[in-house]
Amino acid sequence: LGDLASSQDRAKAIPFDIPVSINWQKSDPDNHEFLRFLFAKSAQYQTLFELGAMDVLDPAAATPIVAYTVSAASSRGRKTVLAAANFAERRARGLFRFQPVLKTFGAFAPAPDKNYILRDLADKGADGQPAAYTKSGKELAEKGLYIELDGGGVHLFDLEEIPGSARAAGAAKRSRRQ
């Protein structure tokens, strides 16, 4: 571990000028696996995080959950990731609205005539596949997204835009619990 007394960055809550190492032998196995997953995903989405527009979602009421999107267009289409984390020790919920301040720079805004598949890369089923939910763009734009997480829980949704239809737009479908 680093020596805080040698930091030139002591005014910050987390001084970044002190080298820190993690003793993986003493780590909680669940935390170890989660960090491994998180590091792999951050490497996979590095270009998106470097070039994309980030937008913090607006909660309808006070909640310990923080949610944001990162989105960018490319020659292969639009790529969007939605991350949510509950910073409380207890289960929490919240309704989050999409009102992107940086829409002109490419921040994600649900299109009312589209549907979206949200694949939760942090919540895999027994088959190893991410939990997946289909939401109408109209509902996301007008009402927002309801998120519920256990204490310390996270969602990492990979969003896929699909054509909307009158039938699918009216109902949100899910493959597993919501």
Side-chain angles (χ1 to χ4, degrees):
L1 293 179
D3 179 19
L4 184 59
S6 67
S7 174
Q8 301 297 312
D9 219 4
R10 292 178 64 177
K12 294 182 180 175
I14 302 173
F16 289 103
D17 65 342
I18 300 175
V20 175
S21 63
I22 298 172
N23 181 348
W24 292 107
Q25 302 304 318
K26 294 183 177 181
S27 69
D28 177 328
D30 290 337
N31 286 343
H32 184 185
E33 283 308 308
F34 177 72
L35 288 172
R36 208 179 272 270
F37 160 79
L38 195 58
F39 293 148
K41 288 302 169 195
S42 62
Q44 179 183 347
Y45 292 120
Q46 181 176 353
T47 303
L48 177 65
F49 291 137
E50 289 173 356
L51 304 176
M54 177 193 251
D55 188 58
V56 177
L57 300 184
D58 183 29
T63 179
I65 297 174
V66 174
Y68 66 91
T69 60
V70 180
S71 189
S74 72
S75 60
R76 292 182 277 168
R78 174 163 295 286
K79 182 70 177 165
T80 302
V81 173
L82 187 155
N86 179 0
F87 287 95
E89 292 182 16
R90 61 177 167 51
R91 188 167 187 80
R93 63 192 57 80
L95 182 65
F96 292 85
R97 296 179 292 238
F98 295 89
Q99 300 171 334
V101 173
L102 300 175
K103 186 176 179 181
T104 57
F105 294 99
F108 175 74
D113 62 335
K114 303 287 185 185
N115 288 317
Y116 296 89
I117 299 174
L118 288 76
R119 288 183 183 85
D120 190 352
L121 305 176
D123 182 14
K124 294 191 177 176
D127 61 358
Q129 296 300 309
Y133 311 95
T134 302
K135 302 288 184 182
S136 78
K138 183 176 192 250
E139 181 181 348
L140 290 174
E142 291 176 2
K143 296 179 183 173
L145 179 66
Y146 176 79
I147 296 174
E148 189 168 345
L149 284 165
D150 288 334
V154 298
H155 286 305
L156 180 60
F157 292 114
D158 185 273
L159 275 71
E160 178 185 352
E161 184 178 275
I162 56 176
S165 70
R167 181 183 223 183
K173 298 177 185 177
R174 61 189 173 121
S175 63
R176 296 195 317 124
R177 72 180 190 283
Q178 192 162 3

